[in-house]
């Protein structure tokens, strides 16, 4: 049995047991039984089994959306599912750190508090986490110089501090940390942008994601996953942008 199938079976067992026990005041299914059905049959039993994106990648997309949207209630379950699906503790740590910059420090800190308990329950120690200041991946100097020049020309007179930190911290440090592959870091960024409705930044980052190895079918499946975890309006706002990026990519 696959890790995802095991999780679904356990979730269904827990739900059935809860139905026979004293009703919990915190159980949303006592209020919305259809939500339970959609969760079991459509989401976990259907969307998560679609072949276009691995369970590992779906976990990355889902964690990014939940952290970016400060949705911590279900985060322990999905952190556990991510670990069972092959996302490493180092990668989860890096996802949280990356999202501090793309969804705000408070959201990342809240996620870190939840992850701490999940890691402790699984006896994940500091030896399984990334270094605070590791040796960085090589920098594409030409591409970074082009990006920095373009951003500087647009915004240096408006907010020079933002421009400086974008260069020094984001693209010459954060994006080069080695414990989350560039393709996965892009997937986190794109997911967070869609989940928070930040479509203005999507063309650059979706194109960068595809440069980093994300395929068009995988990007399409990420959007399908995000429809459930970020809502249809956010995804439909992103679809015209994604279509434009796809159409402009070299065939």
């Amino acid at each position: 049995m696959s890790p995802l199938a095991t999780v679904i079976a356990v979730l269904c067992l827990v739900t059935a047991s809860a139905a026979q026990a004293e009703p919990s005041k915190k159980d949303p299914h006592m209020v919305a039984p259809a939500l339970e059905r959609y969760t079991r049959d459509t989401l976990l039993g259907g969307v998560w089994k679609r072949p276009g994106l691995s369970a590992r990648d779906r976990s990355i997309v889902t964690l990014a959306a939940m952290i970016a949207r400060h949705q911590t209630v279900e985060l322990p379950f999905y952190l556990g599912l991510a670990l069972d699906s092959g996302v490493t503790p180092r990668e989860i740590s890096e996802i949280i750190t990356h999202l501090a910059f793309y969804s705000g420090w408070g959201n990342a800190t809240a996620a870190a508090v939840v992850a701490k308990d999940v890691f402790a329950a699984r006896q994940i120690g500091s030896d399984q986490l990334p270094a605070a200041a590791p040796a960085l991946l090589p920098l594409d100097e030409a591409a970074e110089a082009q990006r920095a020049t373009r951003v500087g020309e647009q915004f240096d007179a408006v907010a020079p501090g933002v421009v400086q930190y974008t260069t020094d911290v984001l693209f010459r440090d954060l994006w080069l940390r080695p414990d989350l592959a560039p393709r996965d870091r892009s997937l986190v960024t794109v997911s967070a942008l869609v989940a928070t409705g930040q479509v203005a930044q999507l063309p650059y980052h979706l194109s960068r994601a595809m440069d980093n190895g994300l395929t068009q079918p995988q990007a399409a499946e990420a959007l399908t996953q995000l429809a459930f975890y970020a809502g249809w309006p956010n995804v439909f706002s992103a679809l015209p942008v994604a279509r434009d990026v796809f159409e402009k990519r070299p065939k």
Side-chain angles (χ1 to χ4, degrees):
M1 183 179 289
S2 69
L4 180 57
T6 301
V7 170
I8 294 172
V10 171
L11 183 62
C12 291
L13 179 61
V14 170
T15 302
S17 299
Q20 298 173 3
E22 182 179 351
S24 169
K25 294 181 180 179
K26 296 182 179 180
D27 186 358
H29 301 144
M30 299 301 296
V31 175
L35 176 60
E36 177 185 4
R37 178 173 66 85
Y38 286 127
T39 300
R40 182 187 63 242
D41 299 341
T42 305
L43 189 55
L44 295 176
V47 175
W48 277 84
K49 293 183 176 181
R50 287 173 59 87
L53 203 62
S54 69
R56 176 187 176 277
D57 286 347
R58 290 187 187 279
S59 287
I60 290 174
V61 170
T62 304
L63 290 181
M66 287 189 159
I67 294 169
R69 293 166 64 84
H70 196 72
Q71 296 172 338
T72 58
V73 171
E74 289 192 301
L75 196 52
F77 170 77
Y78 284 102
L79 285 167
L81 179 55
L83 290 165
D84 292 340
S85 299
V87 185
T88 68
R90 282 185 171 83
E91 290 170 333
I92 288 175
S93 177
E94 284 296 313
I95 289 169
I96 293 171
T97 301
H98 190 85
L99 288 170
F101 292 86
Y102 284 91
S103 66
W105 238 251
N107 287 339
T109 300
V113 170
V114 176
K116 179 182 177 182
D117 291 339
V118 173
F119 284 5
R122 295 196 177 217
Q123 298 182 322
I124 295 170
S126 59
D127 60 315
Q128 298 182 60
L129 301 180
L136 300 178
L137 297 173
L139 175 68
D140 185 335
E141 294 283 357
E144 171 54 18
Q146 185 179 40
R147 183 212 61 79
T149 298
R150 183 177 65 254
V151 172
E153 289 174 347
Q154 289 179 304
F155 303 118
D156 211 13
V158 180
V162 173
V163 172
Q164 190 65 47
Y165 283 121
T166 300
T167 295
D168 294 346
V169 182
L170 260 68
F171 288 102
R172 289 184 174 269
D173 192 332
L174 180 72
W175 275 87
L176 302 179
R177 291 178 59 83
D179 288 291
L180 189 64
R183 180 255 192 200
D184 296 338
R185 205 172 280 279
S186 283
L187 183 58
V188 169
T189 308
V190 167
S191 299
L193 292 175
V194 174
T196 54
Q198 302 295 328
V199 295
Q201 298 295 312
L202 194 54
Y204 171 79
H205 281 289
L206 180 55
S207 183
R208 184 185 178 97
M210 298 178 77
D211 288 341
N212 284 335
L214 188 72
T215 67
Q216 181 172 328
Q218 289 170 341
E221 274 302 307
L223 289 168
T224 302
Q225 184 84 1
L226 285 165
F228 287 85
Y229 288 97
W232 255 251
N234 281 327
V235 168
F236 263 88
S237 293
L239 286 179
V241 180
R243 180 184 60 196
D244 190 53
V245 171
F246 294 162
E247 289 176 350
K248 290 180 179 177
R249 297 286 298 179
K251 302 300 183 183

